[in-house]
């Protein structure tokens, strides 16, 4: 049976959620109640933007009541609602049974260097950025540090802005740490453990935590929406303990990120260079779309690249292409996104269209990539670098084609190409390439 201590420790729930499970009188001396919303500030998600609040006639308090729209998906935080915070003895989970790490792989020299730095950051409770190219094996780099943290009964969170990445990370961590309690949290997920050794979550789910984690790992720290949302950034800070380790992971980090240490990995774990994107003129592909036609240049590319991921700048154009080509398409609001991605990974589809939702954090063996309308503003330098990083990740198939179809070169295209070339040169200089 779940105890209030295990359920509430390190969390922040609305009082109405807690009363559905426990009688408050049983543990009222061990909790603090605070208004969920006061003076246009949400004490759950830290939102202070007035346009993200609304006022309505409240059936609960019988008067006009202001609530926060920013975190409404977590339940309605309002002026007449309270947040429950545990102030009793924190729940302490026993460490997982030995051997904690049951991964039989090995780390490359640059991975070993980064892994040692991560272990040191856990010992010193400092912040660190791992700036690693796409396909460097960032997840595997974490394994020794996560093992050490678990052995010390430290609570770990791996947060990422996108649900697809959570769904990809969860089975990999479960295989590596089979004796650990692991939960994966995203909108619609079924995991809701009272207390876990490792929590893998979208950054939105961090809103439910308060001073919970000894080790906070933020993967793809530069990705939307986390990078553009100060409320999510505050949620990540509030979710970790005051004395804790903060680890950032990214292939394209912003210069705004400030940490105690930066470790750079310019090479993939398998020692092959990153694929450098080729820029190719496509012509007025949107005009052809109006005629329900696909540009012959793209059709020719598809004919010689049988397993392909095609990135599109907008959903409307993508759905027209999907009908014309007879292939599946995925975007952020697609309720079947997970099933389609898995079908593509399993080889049940050879071609799939996508928006930038799959630009990072997902791995497909032997895939090649085309970007249609690569000059569109949605395809920033970072996005194009990440997109190129989908190719050649499998050591058995380390090469592949990345083609940026455009109607005019942009700074983003040129900078993305230069970024990858420079990373390859640095990896070559350090002796990391085969």
């Amino acid at each position: 049976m779940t105890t209030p201590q295990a359920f509430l420790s390190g969390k922040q729930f609305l009082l109405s959620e807690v009363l559905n499970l426990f009688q408050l009188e049983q543990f009222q001396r061990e909790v603090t109640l605070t208004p969920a919303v006061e003076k246009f500030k949400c004490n759950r998600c830290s939102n202070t933007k007035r346009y993200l609040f609304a006022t309505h006639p409240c059936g609960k308090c019988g008067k006009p009541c202001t609530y926060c729209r920013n975190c409404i998906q977590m339940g309605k935080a309002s002026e007449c609602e309270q947040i429950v915070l545990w102030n009793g003895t924190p729940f302490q989970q026993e460490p997982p049974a030995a051997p904690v790490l049951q991964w039989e792989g090995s780390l490359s020299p640059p991975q070993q260097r980064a892994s040692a730095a991560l272990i040191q950051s856990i010992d010193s409770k400092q912040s660190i950025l791992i700036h690693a190219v796409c396909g460097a094996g960032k997840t595997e780099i974490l394994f020794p540090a996560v093992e050490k943290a678990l052995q010390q009964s430290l609570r770990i969170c791996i947060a990422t802005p996108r649900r697809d990445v959570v769904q990809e990370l969860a089975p990999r961590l479960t295989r590596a740490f089979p004796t650990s309690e692991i939960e994966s949290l995203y909108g619609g997920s079924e995991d809701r453990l009272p207390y876990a050794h490792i929590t893998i979550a979208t950054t939105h789910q961090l809103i439910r935590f308060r001073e919970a984690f000894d080790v906070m790992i933020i993967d793809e720290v530069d990705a939307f929406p986390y990078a553009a949302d100060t409320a999510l950034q505050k949620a990540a800070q509030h979710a970790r303990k005051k004395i804790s380790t903060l680890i950032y992971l990214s292939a394209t980090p912003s210069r705004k990120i400030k940490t105690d240490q930066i470790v750079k990995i310019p090479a993939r774990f398998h020692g092959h260079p990153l694929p450098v994107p080729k820029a190719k003129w496509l012509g007025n592909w949107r005009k052809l779309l109006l005629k329900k036609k696909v540009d012959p240049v793209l059709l020719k590319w598809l004919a010689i690249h049988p397993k392909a991921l095609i990135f599109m700048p907008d959903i409307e154009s993508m759905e027209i292409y999907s009908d014309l080509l007879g292939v599946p398409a995925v975007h952020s609001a697609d309720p079947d996104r997970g099933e389609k991605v898995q079908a593509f990974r399993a080889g049940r589809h050879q071609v799939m269209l996508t928006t930038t939702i799959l630009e990072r954090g997902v791995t497909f063996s032997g895939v090649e990539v085309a970007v249609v309308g690569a000059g569109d503003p949605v395809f920033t330098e970072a996005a194009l670098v990440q997109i190129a990083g989908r190719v050649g990740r499998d050591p058995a198939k380390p090469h592949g084609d990345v083609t940026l179809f455009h109607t005019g070169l942009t700074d983003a295209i040129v900078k993305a190409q230069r970024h990858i070339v420079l990373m390859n040169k640095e990896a070559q200089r350090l002796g990391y390439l085969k």
Side-chain angles (χ1 to χ4, degrees):
M1 181 179 177
T2 301
T3 65
Q5 182 191 35
F7 185 79
L8 294 174
S9 188
K11 305 276 186 68
Q12 52 177 9
F13 288 107
L14 299 178
L15 179 59
S16 56
E17 297 174 299
V18 175
L19 292 180
N20 289 334
L21 299 172
F22 307 107
Q23 293 297 318
L24 183 62
E25 294 79 9
Q26 297 175 358
F27 56 94
Q28 58 183 346
R29 293 183 180 179
E30 297 172 287
V31 300
T32 299
L33 300 179
T34 186
V37 171
E38 52 184 346
K39 297 180 180 179
F40 293 98
K41 179 186 178 183
C42 178
N43 289 320
R44 181 172 63 177
C45 73
S46 301
N47 170 42
T48 57
K49 297 175 181 177
R50 287 216 172 195
Y51 69 90
L52 289 176
F53 289 93
T55 301
H56 69 144
C58 181
K60 183 177 178 181
C61 65
K63 59 182 180 180
C65 188
T66 299
Y67 65 93
C68 178
R69 296 191 296 114
N70 187 59
C71 58
I72 189 69
Q73 72 273 20
M74 303 291 181
K76 187 178 287 185
S78 64
E79 288 178 311
C80 67
E81 183 62 90
Q82 292 179 299
I83 294 172
V84 181
L85 300 174
W86 182 259
N87 61 19
T89 303
F91 181 77
Q92 189 67 37
Q93 182 108 318
E94 289 294 322
V100 175
L101 176 59
Q102 298 181 31
W103 176 64
E104 297 180 354
S106 59
L107 298 177
S108 66
Q111 285 179 309
Q112 291 173 4
R113 175 172 163 261
S115 184
L118 287 174
I119 291 173
Q120 192 277 329
S121 73
I122 288 176
D123 288 337
S124 62
K125 307 296 184 187
Q126 290 187 315
S127 60
I128 185 172
L129 165 65
I130 303 296
H131 178 187
V133 297
C134 299
K138 292 190 292 293
T139 303
E140 289 73 19
I141 291 167
L142 293 172
F143 286 172
V146 169
E147 178 187 29
K148 180 165 187 177
L150 290 173
Q151 290 170 338
Q152 297 176 4
S153 295
L154 301 181
R155 193 175 181 185
I156 302 163
C157 178
I158 303 176
T160 179
R162 297 187 178 175
R163 183 182 72 182
D164 306 85
V165 183
V166 174
Q167 292 173 316
E168 178 141 325
L169 285 175
R172 293 170 67 184
L173 270 293
T174 300
R175 288 192 297 269
F177 300 95
T179 66
S180 299
E181 291 281 354
I182 300 175
E183 64 178 350
S184 55
L185 304 178
Y186 54 86
S189 65
E190 296 180 358
D191 283 0
R192 288 293 185 272
L193 300 180
Y195 201 95
H197 294 111
I198 304 173
T199 297
I200 309 169
T202 57
T203 48
H204 280 88
Q205 295 294 321
L206 298 182
I207 291 170
R208 287 200 180 276
F209 294 90
R210 181 68 64 94
E211 295 188 24
F213 301 107
D214 302 282
V215 180
M216 173 64 73
I217 302 167
I218 303 180
D219 190 17
E220 305 295 356
V221 65
D222 61 305
F224 180 85
Y226 178 83
D229 192 332
T230 56
L232 290 179
Q233 294 164 22
K234 288 179 181 178
Q237 295 298 332
H238 291 164
R240 69 187 186 103
K241 294 179 180 178
K242 289 183 171 63
I243 300 176
S244 58
T245 298
L246 177 61
I247 298 170
Y248 291 124
L249 307 174
S250 181
T252 50
S254 166
R255 293 180 180 178
K256 296 179 181 179
I257 297 174
K258 303 299 180 185
T259 59
D260 297 312
Q261 184 181 7
I262 299 175
V263 176
K264 193 172 185 179
I265 306 177
R268 288 181 156 178
F269 73 96
H270 53 51
H272 293 275
L274 298 160
V276 179
K278 296 179 291 186
K280 190 174 182 64
W281 177 265
L282 187 61
N284 197 337
W285 63 277
R286 289 189 183 276
K287 185 176 181 180
L288 281 179
L289 266 189
L290 296 176
K291 300 177 181 180
K292 303 298 181 182
K293 293 181 180 180
V294 178
D295 194 291
V297 174
L298 181 61
L299 291 175
K300 183 178 179 180
W301 186 91
L302 278 170
I304 58 177
H305 299 90
K307 187 171 183 180
L309 192 60
I310 303 176
F311 286 83
M312 302 288 295
D314 60 81
I315 295 173
E316 183 180 5
S317 300
M318 183 181 69
E319 290 182 337
I320 296 173
Y321 260 38
S322 177
D323 290 338
L324 294 175
L325 295 171
V327 298
V330 295
H331 54 86
S332 61
D334 185 350
D336 300 320
R337 184 168 95 223
E339 290 78 7
K340 291 178 182 177
V341 169
Q342 187 54 41
F344 180 66
R345 180 176 286 117
R348 293 195 292 275
H349 302 297
Q350 293 303 305
V351 177
M352 188 165 70
L353 302 169
T354 180
T355 58
T356 55
I357 192 66
L358 294 184
E359 74 179 30
R360 60 180 76 214
V362 291
T363 298
F364 305 105
S365 176
V367 75
E368 298 181 281
V369 161
V371 181
V372 175
D376 190 277
V378 71
F379 295 119
T380 62
E381 175 192 350
L384 292 174
V385 169
Q386 293 281 357
I387 287 169
R390 299 313 98 206
V391 175
R393 299 170 73 91
D394 187 341
K397 299 176 180 179
H399 307 292
D401 185 89
V402 181
T403 300
L404 310 181
F405 290 103
H406 64 89
T407 56
L409 288 175
T410 61
D411 284 347
I413 292 174
V414 174
K415 288 179 179 178
Q417 291 174 311
R418 184 183 303 144
H419 179 120
I420 293 171
V421 168
L422 290 175
M423 281 293 195
N424 283 338
K425 285 183 177 179
E426 185 171 354
Q428 183 71 53
R429 178 180 63 82
L430 295 171
Y432 292 154
L433 297 185
K434 293 180 179 179

